[in-house]
Amino acid sequence: MAADEEELSINEQAISASEDEEGSDDERKHKKLLEAIGSMGGRKRKKQNERSEASVQVSEYFVNAEGTGDKVNLSDLLGTVEKTSGASNKTKKQLRNLQSSKETLELPLNKQQTEKIQRGIAYEKTTAEVSCWKNIILQNQKAEQMVFPLNQESSGPKRVEQVVAGWKVQTPLEQEIFRLLHGSRQPVNDPVLTPVEEQSLKAMSLEEAKIRRAELQKARALQSYYEAKAKREKKIKSKKYHKVQNKAKRKDFLKQFDEMVKTNPEGALEELKKMELSRMEERMSLKHQNSGKWAKSKAIMAKYDDSARKAMQEQLQMNKDLTQKMVVPSDDEHESIEEGLETVPDFVNDPETVIDPVNPWMRGQLTHEEPEVSCVTAEEVQTAEEENEEEEIIGEFERKRKLRQADEEDLIPTEEEQPASEVVEEDVVEVSDKEEEEDEEEDVSEFNTLFRLMRSEKTPGEEDEEGLLSEGQIRVRSIEDLEVLDEVVEPRAIEEPSAPQTAAAEATSEPPHKKKREINLKEVLTKEAKAVRLPFLPTVVDEEERDEQISIIKEAFAGDDVISDFIKDKSRQEAAGRPAVVDLTLPGWGEWGGVGLKPPRWKRKRFRIKTAPPPPRQDQKLPDVIISEKRTASVASHQVSQLPFPFQNTAQFESSIRTPIGSTWNTQTVVKNMTKPKVVTKLGAIIEPMVKEDFIKSKTTSAGGKGAAIMLGENRRAKEGTKRSAEKHRGRRSQKRKK
Amino acid sequence: MKVKVLCRNPDDYVRETTRDIQRVPRNYDPTLHPFEVPREYTRALNATKLERVFAKPFVASLDGHRDGISCITKHAKSLSTIISGACDGEVKVWNLPRQECLRTVQAHEGFVRGICSRFCGTSFFTVGDDKTIKQWNWEAPGYGVREEPINTILGKAVFTGIDHHQREGTFVTCGQTVDIWDEQRSSPIRSFSWGVDSFSCVRYNPVETELLASCASDRSVVLYDTRESAPLRKVIMQLRSNTLCWNPMEAYYFTCANEDYNLYTYDIRHLDVPVTVHMDHVSAVLDVDYSPTGREFVSASFDKTIRIFPKDKGHSREVYHTKRMQHVICVRWSADNKYVLSGSDEMNIRLWKANASEKLGLLSAREKAATHYNKKLIEKFQHHPQVRRIARHRHLPGDILKQKRELREMREARRRKEQNVRKHSKPGSVPLLTEKEKHVVAVVE
């Protein structure tokens, strides 16, 4: 070592000496010097392999193997193998072959590339793992409502098992019980199969297990279907359904009974006794006696309603059947019918006690007589009530809204329609009773509904014949329509409404021709008043009042001829909308011009520019309506000008707007549902991030179980994948990269 | 003359007992309500106006630091406690409802670069410019006892960020390398580096807890898996990302706050194109934090504003600023999804409501129903121009507005230029890039 140090010192001196000279020669000289030193010592200088610091990171550039310069031959390594007797001949032979072969092994990939491959594999693995969240994330994004924190414990009552979990057996009795319980290996909690069953399942082959499982599933499904069916049937409120059901049962029973009599007389006797008992009970009870609440209500209705009457009678019939003696089914039938007739309470046939004939509110049953709805819809409302299900009602409402909107849209916007319809069906207006006076205020909508009410009130007698027309919302809009309508409507139907009117006109002692400027209906009315079928409602028309009414209206409109004004106005607007013809002919161009000379016809024809006619007016076919097609600026600022993004057509957007969500138009639960916020958080609760174990259970366990066995295959696949993607990527990015 | 009076059947409106709710007879038949849509529209308009009238997001300001706030973190188990670190090495523990400082610790010399709370809420970690990681107890020491860390680890280089694992006793720091530490050891159990000299931020994925992401100074965002020996992949963008935040409800999305005024939401399965580019800031975005529901995130910017973005929208739904708030350096969303905390250069921590017009405290059932109804109405009529105009209106300081206008002009000019280049070059040689594609330079495997 001492010699080494000397050498070093000499070395340094030499270097320092050489530094004084020119720098370009430095290296050459230094090399020479080193060589000289090397030859001087006669032995090779040991290289220092040193690590200055114990560190976690070791660079590949600082570490080198000892004796790097030497070349290692295979024989050096194999020398010992040849000598040892332990190695088998086979391996020796192989090694000798290897020695003789000249081929070299391929270089291992460099570090960068291996790392890249590793990274690729790792990335693929991670992405695959992360993708298992996809369904949950999508589901959460679509969810109508998310409640945070997720997975919070319910504050309600807990299941028994949860409560019991923390409790331990102490007394010997308890221990005994528990031993018994667990000894039987019955499932305590939810799982469907007992441990024994599970074991046996495991013992079976896969096919068997599958079949078995399918059977089990089927059985379970069948059971659940059956249960569901039973439940559903139990829930059905329809009396008719149960009636039919009971009847069927009874029939079955009778059949069985007949059989029984033959085969099992004792059983039959017992059954007979039972029947007798039930008969007695029936006789004792007031059931089916037309004395219940339902029966009373029906009794009230029976006056108007055939079906109610029938229902009552049916009930009585039932009573009769039940109280019938089984043995003698003979002549008391006749009696019972008479009884049934008797039991219909007398007041059914009484005339209605109307306190105030004009006031509909005093008639007691308000809900049945909302006559402004046409008959069909009224019936539908009733059915909806029967079903008593909110959703149905909502659906119904939605449908109505749509209908209404369609009505409005179709051709007639409501506001503009009203004056027209007022005029058109004036005969109807005149038939109104006194209520109408209040409605002459400007509240148009109210007027409209009342108006419809009156219209439907008007013709009580003809409901049978006019079944087809009763879908009252169809309006006659033009003359063509009217012609079509004429064929359908019988003359009587048209005449009848006009009859009272003429009578009224006579009564007012002001014949229509007397005043010149009075509105002449015949002049303008291009269509007949439509008779509408009405719900069953006693109409009370006070003759004097009606006459008064008519006279008032006539007076009010005496001065002005509204209708001809309207027609003029309309034609003016139509004319304004028509495009004007532009004449661009220049006289004197290309021919002689002057006084008295007209440009030739071809020229006039050529230079008169006709612009394309605008699309037909919306009110083109509506004689009594003006639809303004101008855009109103004040309204336009509140309107949506273009279809907003998520919607695909206007109908979609409109339907989203049409349904109201407020409590003014919806029941409480519906409002609650509709205004449900998307995200609900609990006040003062920390919202933890999702926990993987809670959401993805099976995946994690299976991934853990599989482990290394599948690893290799996956890796290979992953590697290929990365290579491919890498190439693709390079291709894509080559033009983009800037370095 | 006959006088006629309306009279009704008392059965329809009289309660049977006084305990019943009042009967409000109402006919929901739509034929009786011809003007429901206009009426609702009016209500929606009023609701929108009221929402804007009541939009007073600023709740409180916590002052006490003597230098700019560099980092804030929430207590893992308590909503009312937060810690903040300042640029002078001071760490303060705050009580939010009382709006006061509970405890002050001189934790480091130089900046406090990062703070993170342990998942169990018993201790927290700080890293600073003095190359140390210190673990502190959440409990303040008794009277007269010196504030001393439970544990101090001396590192070789400056640490710039720290984050703790969601459920285990490991944490990760970044600086020159990304190191994963065990709480029990004084040397990292693993460190990742990938040819970059420094990292500015590292975050654990709160859902897939073994995943990590970091922002590096070579403009890249690097992904790691702690179970693997090498990093997974990195995406290089045009400018550097300052911080990033994982979505706590959607495992594979993260959002990074970039120097180019934008935020980018990435899906880690498809790194070559960001899912959404969120643009509205007019200066570098310095911090970002997701709401615990994962629906929105809040970002802090050098332009002295904080903005709240819906996670899938390109523009912000809300912008908060005050006259005195300077560059906002850090921002956090409270764990109950109600508040936003921002720490800024001028030594204050500000508490904002996450929903500007929300009424604080308990609401009665009717109030709740009304707010829900109003919210739904605004949502329903959101496309109507008047409603939209009012709902969208925000006040912005003049200089930000000016900058915004300037930026728009610049963007427009750039677009025009590109169009011209495309027009005058061979067809297909200048590809049409979408906004999303523009900002990613390369994805490195």
Side-chain angles (χ1 to χ4, degrees):
Chain A
M1 283 304 271
D4 274 357
E5 275 168 20
E6 270 179 29
E7 280 171 25
L8 276 176
S9 62
I10 293 163
N11 208 349
E12 274 166 17
Q13 279 168 11
I15 288 167
S16 60
S18 66
E19 269 175 357
D20 297 343
E21 298 165 19
E22 311 147 47
S24 59
D25 288 2
D26 259 9
E27 278 183 25
R28 192 170 41 83
K29 278 183 181 172
H30 181 67
K31 215 179 257 176
K32 219 182 223 173
L33 191 71
L34 283 178
E35 274 168 20
I37 291 164
S39 61
M40 224 166 62
R43 61 200 159 108
K44 278 182 182 166
R45 191 179 156 239
K46 263 192 174 178
K47 275 182 185 165
Q48 207 98 23
N49 296 316
E50 222 177 34
R51 277 159 68 169
S52 58
E53 187 186 2
S55 146
V56 184
Q57 295 173 335
V58 182
S59 167
E60 57 180 326
Y61 302 112
F62 297 138
V63 182
N64 44 6
E66 298 220 1
T68 31
D70 301 340
K71 202 171 186 183
V72 182
N73 288 321
L74 192 59
S75 56
D76 296 341
L77 298 174
L78 294 180
T80 49
V81 179
E82 292 285 338
K83 279 165 203 164
T84 51
S85 56
S88 66
N89 283 330
K90 203 180 174 187
T91 48
K92 280 177 189 170
K93 206 176 180 182
Q94 277 177 341
L95 284 171
R96 248 175 262 132
N97 283 343
L98 200 65
Q99 206 167 359
S100 59
S101 68
K102 296 289 183 214
E103 283 176 29
T104 53
L105 284 173
E106 270 184 57
L107 270 177
L109 281 173
N110 59 13
K111 199 185 166 194
Q112 275 74 25
Q113 266 169 326
T114 47
E115 273 187 353
K116 190 175 173 183
I117 290 167
Q118 274 177 353
R119 283 196 299 261
I121 293 164
Y123 177 73
E124 295 288 321
K125 220 162 87 186
T126 316
T127 47
E129 195 183 329
V130 164
S131 319
C132 68
W133 284 98
K134 197 171 162 190
N135 286 335
I136 292 165
I137 289 174
L138 279 179
Q139 192 185 316
N140 286 350
Q141 278 170 354
K142 279 180 197 161
E144 277 186 13
Q145 189 176 42
M146 289 279 287
V147 181
F148 294 101
L150 302 167
N151 283 340
Q152 51 185 334
E153 277 187 23
S154 58
S155 57
K158 284 175 183 174
R159 273 161 61 206
V160 181
E161 301 88 55
Q162 289 170 332
V163 180
V164 164
W167 178 73
K168 276 178 184 169
V169 287
Q170 282 156 349
T171 62
L173 178 67
E174 283 170 354
Q175 276 169 0
E176 187 115 331
I177 290 167
F178 263 70
R179 217 177 19 252
L180 276 174
L181 271 179
H182 291 290
S184 68
R185 313 197 107 209
Q186 280 299 317
V188 183
N189 295 351
D190 238 0
V192 187
L193 298 175
T194 58
V196 182
E197 278 174 322
E198 270 175 23
Q199 273 175 12
S200 65
L201 255 185
K202 271 177 200 163
M204 278 186 279
S205 72
L206 189 64
E207 263 82 339
E208 270 180 274
K210 270 182 185 166
I211 293 164
R212 174 81 198 285
R213 205 181 58 180
E215 276 171 7
L216 277 175
Q217 268 175 351
K218 200 177 171 188
R220 239 175 281 145
L222 279 177
Q223 192 187 351
S224 73
Y225 293 155
Y226 183 75
E227 276 170 8
K229 196 184 169 194
K231 218 177 191 177
R232 205 174 54 232
E233 281 178 355
K234 202 181 157 195
K235 258 188 162 176
I236 292 174
K237 281 184 185 162
S238 161
K239 293 236 167 90
K240 197 174 174 192
Y241 172 80
H242 284 295
K243 228 181 271 169
V244 171
Q245 202 81 336
N246 283 338
K247 215 174 194 176
K249 259 184 209 163
R250 231 177 295 146
K251 230 179 214 173
D252 261 13
F253 174 72
L254 273 179
K255 226 182 237 171
Q256 277 178 2
F257 184 74
D258 284 348
E259 296 244 320
M260 246 183 170
V261 171
K262 284 168 198 161
T263 55
N264 187 5
E266 286 99 285
L269 213 67
E270 254 174 49
E271 288 296 326
L272 214 64
K273 266 180 193 166
K274 260 188 210 167
M275 264 192 257
E276 185 59 31
L277 203 70
S278 71
R279 185 180 154 260
M280 275 153 79
E281 271 172 4
E282 176 64 27
R283 280 171 60 117
M284 279 194 295
S285 76
L286 288 174
K287 229 173 168 188
H288 305 127
Q289 301 274 25
N290 267 352
S291 56
K293 218 200 250 169
W294 172 82
K296 274 176 188 162
S297 73
K298 281 287 168 194
I300 296 167
M301 287 297 291
K303 190 174 137 193
Y304 312 114
D305 201 346
D306 258 355
S307 64
R309 211 171 299 152
K310 208 183 267 175
M312 286 177 70
Q313 274 173 1
E314 260 172 33
Q315 203 194 28
L316 286 175
Q317 183 66 38
M318 171 92 79
N319 180 34
K320 221 181 308 153
D321 287 350
L322 284 172
T323 49
Q324 211 173 32
K325 273 197 173 174
M326 280 299 287
V327 203
V328 215
S330 63
D331 51 348
D332 47 356
E333 272 179 348
H334 186 68
E335 273 179 29
S336 65
I337 291 171
E338 281 174 4
E339 269 174 19
L341 286 175
E342 270 174 25
T343 42
V344 175
D346 282 345
F347 60 84
V348 166
N349 296 321
D350 285 347
E352 193 192 15
T353 51
V354 181
I355 307 156
D356 187 348
V358 188
N359 192 347
W361 305 109
M362 290 310 289
R363 271 175 224 134
Q365 300 143 346
L366 275 176
T367 47
H368 297 275
E369 293 149 358
E370 292 292 6
E372 81 274 14
V373 188
S374 69
C375 278
V376 181
T377 49
E379 273 166 33
E380 276 165 2
V381 167
Q382 276 179 1
T383 53
E385 276 170 5
E386 271 170 27
E387 278 157 357
N388 212 8
E389 281 175 15
E390 220 143 55
E391 283 164 30
E392 300 248 345
I393 295 173
I394 296 162
E396 177 70 18
F397 281 4
E398 178 60 22
R399 203 186 58 76
K400 275 190 190 173
R401 266 176 212 123
K402 239 186 233 170
L403 248 177
R404 194 186 67 210
Q405 210 204 14
D407 260 9
E408 288 167 8
E409 252 172 26
D410 236 5
L411 286 167
I412 310 163
T414 40
E415 282 101 332
E416 282 156 344
E417 166 209 35
Q418 276 145 17
S421 58
E422 214 175 300
V423 172
V424 167
E425 318 220 350
E426 196 170 340
D427 47 349
V428 187
V429 176
E430 286 169 352
V431 188
S432 65
D433 48 359
K434 207 181 173 187
E435 270 172 36
E436 222 248 312
E437 280 181 18
E438 295 151 22
D439 297 314
E440 278 178 359
E441 300 156 31
E442 274 119 42
D443 195 342
V444 188
S445 64
E446 218 172 290
F447 177 85
N448 209 27
T449 50
L450 218 82
F451 180 70
R452 258 182 264 164
L453 181 148
M454 289 179 303
R455 211 168 57 179
S456 52
E457 255 185 40
K458 217 192 74 195
T459 49
E462 46 196 39
E463 47 175 322
D464 327 30
E465 296 109 276
E466 302 217 330
L468 285 174
L469 284 179
S470 66
E471 287 93 24
Q473 305 292 8
I474 306 162
R475 288 209 174 80
V476 181
R477 288 153 189 149
S478 61
I479 301 158
E480 294 94 282
D481 281 7
L482 189 79
E483 279 163 12
V484 175
L485 203 73
D486 263 347
E487 297 162 13
V488 185
V489 178
E490 289 151 296
R492 201 175 68 85
I494 305 161
E495 274 168 27
E496 213 171 69
S498 61
Q501 190 240 333
T502 47
E506 282 163 16
T508 47
S509 76
E510 285 177 353
H513 303 290
K514 215 174 186 178
K515 276 192 180 177
K516 240 192 171 181
R517 297 274 309 188
E518 205 168 5
I519 303 163
N520 188 359
L521 292 178
K522 295 278 158 9
E523 202 178 61
V524 193
L525 273 189
T526 47
K527 69 168 190 178
E528 307 293 333
K530 194 168 44 125
V532 181
R533 178 188 160 179
L534 55 143
F536 198 84
L537 184 88
T539 50
V540 186
V541 183
D542 205 332
E543 285 286 314
E544 308 159 21
E545 280 176 9
R546 201 205 294 144
D547 296 346
E548 258 176 58
Q549 196 64 39
I550 291 166
S551 63
I552 286 169
I553 289 175
K554 283 196 172 166
E555 267 177 47
F557 291 105
D560 40 13
D561 190 354
V562 191
I563 292 160
S564 60
D565 280 355
F566 175 82
I567 289 170
K568 268 181 213 160
D569 197 18
K570 185 172 180 183
S571 61
R572 209 183 306 133
Q573 290 213 15
E574 271 173 2
R578 242 172 265 137
V581 178
V582 185
D583 195 355
L584 292 175
T585 33
L586 289 174
W589 278 88
E591 82 261 316
W592 288 106
V595 183
L597 281 176
K598 263 188 174 178
R601 221 177 56 204
W602 66 267
K603 204 174 184 183
R604 262 181 290 154
K605 208 173 171 187
R606 185 159 170 205
F607 288 100
R608 276 166 73 95
I609 293 170
K610 265 187 196 168
T611 44
R617 286 179 66 91
Q618 276 187 311
D619 54 7
Q620 195 185 21
K621 289 180 180 174
L622 304 168
D624 9 283
V625 178
I626 300 177
I627 299 175
S628 167
E629 283 168 352
K630 275 181 205 152
R631 216 172 106 95
T632 3
S634 60
V635 178
S637 71
H638 289 273
Q639 282 173 331
V640 181
S641 54
Q642 57 189 12
L643 196 65
F645 159 60
F647 300 101
Q648 273 154 3
N649 49 36
T650 43
Q652 237 175 39
F653 178 61
E654 273 164 12
S655 76
S656 83
I657 295 292
R658 186 168 45 223
T659 321
I661 49 177
S663 54
T664 322
W665 305 281
N666 291 304
T667 55
Q668 203 180 3
T669 40
V670 173
V671 172
K672 210 172 176 185
N673 265 328
M674 280 174 139
T675 59
K676 218 162 51 171
K678 270 202 158 173
V679 174
V680 177
T681 56
K682 204 179 152 201
L683 207 64
I686 292 179
I687 302 168
E688 299 279 357
M690 276 185 181
V691 180
K692 193 170 185 183
E693 284 73 39
D694 292 354
F695 291 91
I696 304 168
K697 276 157 197 155
S698 57
K699 283 249 175 164
T700 46
T701 52
S702 69
K706 274 181 189 172
I710 310 167
M711 212 55 164
L712 284 171
E714 270 182 7
N715 280 358
R716 204 182 304 134
R717 231 179 303 132
K719 210 185 284 181
E720 281 166 17
T722 46
K723 266 184 197 169
R724 234 179 293 132
S725 66
E727 273 164 33
K728 205 169 68 184
H729 203 80
R730 239 173 279 136
R732 249 197 83 181
R733 294 284 162 194
S734 55
Q735 66 201 59
K736 204 174 172 184
R737 207 165 292 199
K738 297 188 173 173
K739 293 164 215 166
Chain B
M1 189 186 166
K2 246 194 254 175
V3 178
K4 290 191 176 171
V5 183
L6 273 185
C7 53
R8 295 188 177 130
N9 187 356
D11 287 348
D12 293 333
Y13 57 90
V14 175
R15 295 183 289 179
E16 282 180 3
T17 68
T18 45
R19 294 202 172 171
D20 281 349
I21 48 170
Q22 291 283 2
R23 299 181 75 169
V24 183
R26 199 161 261 164
N27 195 341
Y28 295 120
D29 187 349
T31 43
L32 300 180
H33 302 284
F35 294 118
E36 57 216 335
V37 176
R39 282 173 78 187
E40 281 220 315
Y41 173 72
T42 319
R43 286 182 194 179
L45 206 57
N46 287 340
T48 325
K49 286 173 185 170
L50 284 181
E51 196 209 7
R52 286 333 298 159
V53 166
F54 289 123
K56 304 258 182 265
F58 182 72
V59 180
S61 159
L62 311 174
D63 57 339
H65 272 296
R66 281 169 294 181
D67 208 336
I69 318 289
S70 61
C71 46
I72 301 178
T73 196
K74 304 169 272 187
H75 191 285
K77 294 287 172 203
S78 156
L79 278 174
S80 57
T81 320
I82 60 157
I83 344 168
S84 61
C87 296
D88 59 353
E90 211 174 44
V91 169
K92 276 180 185 283
V93 180
W94 302 89
N95 184 316
L96 286 179
R98 274 150 62 195
Q99 300 174 21
E100 64 180 21
C101 176
L102 299 179
R103 184 178 161 201
T104 310
V105 186
Q106 184 62 42
H108 294 278
E109 292 178 12
F111 280 50
V112 180
R113 289 291 179 182
I115 304 181
C116 72
S117 170
R118 200 171 185 277
F119 59 92
C120 58
T122 52
S123 62
F124 63 90
F125 295 83
T126 58
V127 292
D129 269 357
D130 54 359
K131 304 182 188 175
T132 52
I133 305 170
K134 289 182 180 172
Q135 186 181 9
W136 305 84
N137 208 330
W138 265 106
E139 301 287 315
Y143 182 73
V145 185
R146 271 189 62 199
E147 285 274 9
E148 268 182 0
I150 305 172
N151 201 359
T152 307
I153 300 169
L154 269 171
K156 281 193 203 115
V158 174
F159 298 108
T160 52
I162 185 168
D163 195 21
H164 202 284
H165 192 279
Q166 201 67 31
R167 279 185 291 282
E168 287 166 17
T170 55
F171 61 91
V172 62
T173 60
C174 65
Q176 288 195 350
T177 56
V178 170
D179 298 325
I180 295 165
W181 304 73
D182 193 313
E183 281 175 0
Q184 309 302 324
R185 300 192 188 190
S186 59
S187 59
I189 49 177
R190 180 168 302 161
S191 44
F192 296 107
S193 63
W194 187 355
V196 204
D197 51 352
S198 72
F199 295 88
S200 60
C201 167
V202 67
R203 288 281 187 102
Y204 264 112
N205 187 331
V207 187
E208 283 285 340
T209 46
E210 305 303 320
L211 273 180
L212 283 173
S214 70
C215 300
S217 62
D218 70 337
R219 306 171 294 156
S220 66
V221 175
V222 192
L223 294 178
Y224 309 89
D225 190 329
T226 53
R227 293 160 296 190
E228 306 288 344
S229 59
L232 300 181
R233 189 160 283 195
K234 73 176 166 187
V235 51
I236 300 176
M237 303 171 71
Q238 283 195 326
L239 284 180
R240 192 167 69 101
S241 296
N242 286 315
T243 43
L244 61 79
C245 186
W246 291 91
N247 190 329
M249 290 291 158
E250 304 183 349
Y252 43 73
Y253 290 117
F254 69 84
T255 300
C256 56
N258 206 287
E259 283 281 329
D260 64 0
Y261 313 171
N262 296 339
L263 294 118
Y264 301 94
T265 299
Y266 279 100
D267 182 343
I268 61 168
R269 299 166 303 165
H270 314 284
L271 283 172
D272 46 355
V273 173
V275 180
T276 324
V277 182
H278 312 272
M279 32 191 9
D280 258 352
H281 280 296
V282 292
S283 191
V285 192
L286 298 182
D287 200 6
V288 58
D289 192 36
Y290 262 96
S291 80
T293 59
R295 299 292 173 110
E296 289 170 326
F297 60 82
V298 60
S299 64
S301 167
F302 200 72
D303 63 10
K304 307 175 188 175
T305 61
I306 58 179
R307 282 179 186 270
I308 296 174
F309 292 85
K311 68 159 199 272
D312 45 5
K313 293 275 157 53
H315 292 277
S316 59
R317 75 156 171 87
E318 199 68 75
V319 55
Y320 295 159
H321 58 87
T322 57
K323 226 175 195 175
R324 296 184 179 187
M325 187 161 73
Q326 295 303 311
H327 314 304
V328 195
I329 296 179
C330 47
V331 69
R332 284 290 175 275
W333 201 305
S334 77
D336 61 348
N337 197 32
K338 288 256 186 265
Y339 300 98
V340 166
L341 290 151
S342 70
S344 43
D345 248 359
E346 87 307 327
M347 306 179 262
N348 276 324
I349 298 168
R350 288 194 169 76
L351 185 64
W352 309 85
K353 284 192 267 183
N355 195 354
S357 57
E358 193 180 33
K359 193 184 172 195
L360 295 181
L362 278 173
L363 297 182
S364 70
R366 284 179 62 195
E367 275 178 310
K368 226 182 254 175
T371 46
H372 290 167
Y373 179 47
N374 283 347
K375 219 177 259 176
K376 209 71 190 181
L377 275 182
I378 296 172
E379 192 193 318
K380 184 181 167 189
F381 288 97
Q382 63 185 335
H383 302 294
H384 288 251
Q386 295 293 314
V387 173
R388 203 176 50 205
R389 183 180 60 87
I390 296 165
R392 275 174 50 192
H393 179 76
R394 294 288 180 283
H395 172 253
L396 265 190
D399 49 343
I400 295 176
L401 213 61
K402 212 176 82 187
Q403 258 172 307
K404 206 174 163 188
R405 222 169 291 139
E406 225 166 75
L407 273 178
R408 197 169 52 222
E409 245 162 61
M410 283 159 70
R411 204 170 294 133
E412 186 55 31
R414 228 171 279 145
R415 195 184 62 81
R416 203 170 49 235
K417 169 92 180 176
E418 200 188 338
Q419 263 182 358
N420 288 343
V421 168
R422 190 170 298 120
K423 235 182 261 172
H424 294 287
S425 50
K426 201 174 140 192
S429 62
V430 184
L432 208 84
L433 286 179
T434 59
E435 186 64 37
K436 286 176 190 171
E437 289 166 334
K438 269 178 203 167
H439 303 281
V440 179
V441 175
V443 178
V444 186
E445 283 179 38

